[in-house]
Amino acid sequence: MPRPTKIIIDLKAMRKNLEIARGSANAKVIAVVKANAYGHGLDRVLPVVEQADALALLEIDRAIELRQAGFVKPIILLEGFFDPNEISIFSRKNLTAVIHHKDQVDMLVSANLEKPIGIFLKMNSGMNRLGFSIEDFDKMYQTLLISKNVNSIVAMTHFADADGEKGIEWQLKRFKAAKTAALRNVETSMGNSATILKYPEAVGDWSRPGIMLYGAAPFPAAGQSLFPVMSLISEIISTQIVDKGQTIGYGCDYICEKKMLVGIVACGYGDGYPRNVISGTPVMIGKFKAPIVGRISMDLLAVDLSNLPRLDQKTVVTMWGDGLPVESIAKAAKTISYDLLCRVSNRVPARVLSL
Ligand SMILES: *Cc1c(COP(=O)(O)O)cnc(C)c1O
């Protein structure tokens, strides 16, 4: 028997999430699969995401692999190309480049390509990360429009606070103002998951769902409707009866206030479970919640079983997933679901529940 720690990837759940993304907004769907499909494994989730209208990621190697695997729909590289030599790969492999910086425009216009490429031209409408200012956007558009190396243009922007209080209206206004100046006839792409669920009318022609496809809520109220795709599971591989006054784990900083039955679960920060959660953060053991006690080790964590009924040794322990949303563990770790999902370690094998 190998170590029982693994992730379960539920493709049926993911397909439902894709359908929700598709149904929420009237747009073509670009499934965002960067960072190895948010830690789920791009190969594993391909049977679902290939049903989207396009894929988006940042890693050109993965884009090439997708083409080699026979994927023919658009692939959008969210940071475009980084040096002139890459552009011919975009051309040969029919990859779409997000163009967000003047250097990229210069590189593209002066390239010698077999075939022109498609681009998403990115405006910085307030995120202040990537993209052209409203003034430059128009100029870049005009330059690219007449370039022999460009065959299609989609106008794109990204919202900074679609899930928060500031909302999107302020950015949308800027984007539209610039668009009417020169881009009356181009398609647009604006909405991430939070936008799709909260402002479905504002996603543009191409929506860009990421986190929602994986079943994690981009804002708390969105949780109920989505289906968790990844569960991080393991088993209790040892138990200890620890007397009152004794301590558990490294640092000896968890002191038992009573005699306790402690279960040792084969999962730690070396698997991607966050080390900084505090004692009391729950895991699911079968259908019961049990609190973590003491520090998370690299390979193990300890839980208090005192209040649970007697369990079979092989009972599945879920660190997050069905019944225990990854968002709640992320919150306990002072981070976001995206971070935990991406951090699952390579040593953790996956079992895929197929379609
Ligand atoms: C990652 C990313 C997305 C997806 O965002 P989610 O919040 O995961 O839905 C969309 N657009 C761009 C440009 C991104 O980088």
Side-chain angles (χ1 to χ4, degrees):
M1 267 298 281
R3 189 166 177 260
T5 314
K6 52 174 108 50
I7 51 173
I8 308 290
I9 303 294
D10 182 349
L11 295 188
K12 284 201 178 84
M14 190 172 191
R15 186 166 59 187
K16 289 187 214 160
N17 297 330
L18 176 62
E19 279 160 16
I20 292 169
R22 202 185 275 294
S24 304
N26 180 23
K28 290 172 275 191
V29 176
I30 304 171
V32 179
V33 294
K34 62 195 181 190
N36 201 21
Y38 289 45
H40 292 64
L42 179 52
D43 309 345
R44 297 176 194 134
V45 303
L46 198 56
V48 175
V49 295
E50 70 185 5
Q51 294 162 21
D53 301 298
L55 296 180
L57 38 59
L58 303 91
E59 303 89 353
I60 194 163
D61 300 1
R62 305 310 302 271
I64 294 168
E65 283 167 29
L66 282 168
R67 286 291 182 244
Q68 281 162 351
F71 183 79
V72 296
K73 294 175 184 174
I75 302 176
I76 296 116
L77 281 284
L78 289 170
E79 292 175 359
F81 42 81
F82 299 86
D83 91 35
N85 299 324
E86 263 185 320
I87 307 178
S88 63
I89 304 176
F90 277 72
S91 166
R92 283 201 308 276
K93 298 286 176 185
N94 191 23
L95 306 177
T96 302
V98 169
I99 302 290
H100 61 84
H101 194 275
K102 174 80 165 60
D103 292 348
Q104 292 175 316
V105 176
D106 296 342
M107 284 188 246
L108 180 54
V109 167
S110 57
N112 221 327
L113 300 180
E114 288 169 33
K115 308 176 281 180
I117 68 168
I119 63 163
F120 276 40
L121 187 62
K122 189 163 191 176
M123 184 199 292
N124 170 21
S125 58
M127 182 83 177
N128 294 322
R129 203 175 54 170
L130 299 182
F132 297 101
S133 68
I134 295 164
E135 300 75 47
D136 290 348
F137 189 78
D138 210 46
K139 216 163 29 192
M140 295 304 141
Y141 173 71
Q142 298 299 346
T143 305
L144 291 163
L145 191 63
I146 57 171
S147 167
K148 64 180 189 325
N149 290 332
V150 175
N151 65 11
S152 69
I153 302 179
V154 172
M156 167 189 186
T157 198
H158 196 57
F159 298 129
D161 202 26
D163 53 334
E165 262 175 35
K166 262 192 110 178
I168 63 160
E169 206 49 49
W170 58 287
Q171 281 184 266
L172 195 59
K173 227 159 76 191
R174 293 181 191 172
F175 184 66
K176 282 187 171 158
K179 192 176 165 255
T180 44
L183 308 186
R184 232 169 247 118
N185 296 316
V186 298
E187 290 189 316
T188 56
S189 176
M190 297 171 286
N192 60 359
S193 298
T195 312
I196 291 165
L197 293 171
K198 234 175 159 172
Y199 310 98
E201 70 294 343
V203 302
D205 300 287
W206 293 87
S207 68
R208 301 193 305 268
I211 196 71
M212 71 177 291
L213 298 179
Y214 308 97
F219 51 90
Q224 293 85 353
S225 59
L226 300 168
F227 301 87
V229 175
M230 179 198 290
S231 296
L232 175 61
I233 65 166
S234 188
E235 285 172 15
I236 293 170
I237 60 166
S238 174
T239 54
Q240 302 282 344
I241 294 169
V242 186
D243 281 330
K244 180 178 172 182
Q246 297 246 43
T247 62
I248 297 170
Y250 283 118
C252 303
D253 49 7
Y254 185 88
I255 304 163
C256 300
E257 287 176 355
K258 55 178 185 351
K259 188 172 178 179
M260 276 169 64
L261 176 62
V262 175
I264 307 300
V265 180
C267 183
Y269 62 81
D271 301 300
Y273 192 84
R275 185 178 172 280
N276 65 327
V277 298
I278 53 166
S279 285
T281 302
V283 302
M284 296 285 291
I285 304 183
K287 52 186 189 310
F288 304 101
K289 275 190 182 165
I292 289 173
V293 285
R295 290 190 196 169
I296 309 295
S297 305
M298 185 184 288
D299 314 313
L300 299 165
L301 58 81
V303 293
D304 178 6
L305 301 177
S306 307
N307 298 322
L308 265 62
R310 257 190 81 83
L311 293 159
D312 180 0
Q313 262 240 320
K314 293 275 170 220
T315 307
V316 171
V317 180
T318 303
M319 264 50 70
W320 65 65
D322 216 5
L324 189 58
V326 64
E327 304 91 284
S328 67
I329 305 305
K331 198 166 173 211
K334 299 191 171 62
T335 184
I336 54 174
S337 59
Y338 303 66
D339 185 20
L340 295 192
L341 295 171
C342 287
R343 263 204 267 160
V344 172
S345 144
N346 273 335
R347 80 176 183 187
V348 179
R351 202 173 92 218
V352 177
L353 307 180
S354 50
L355 286 173

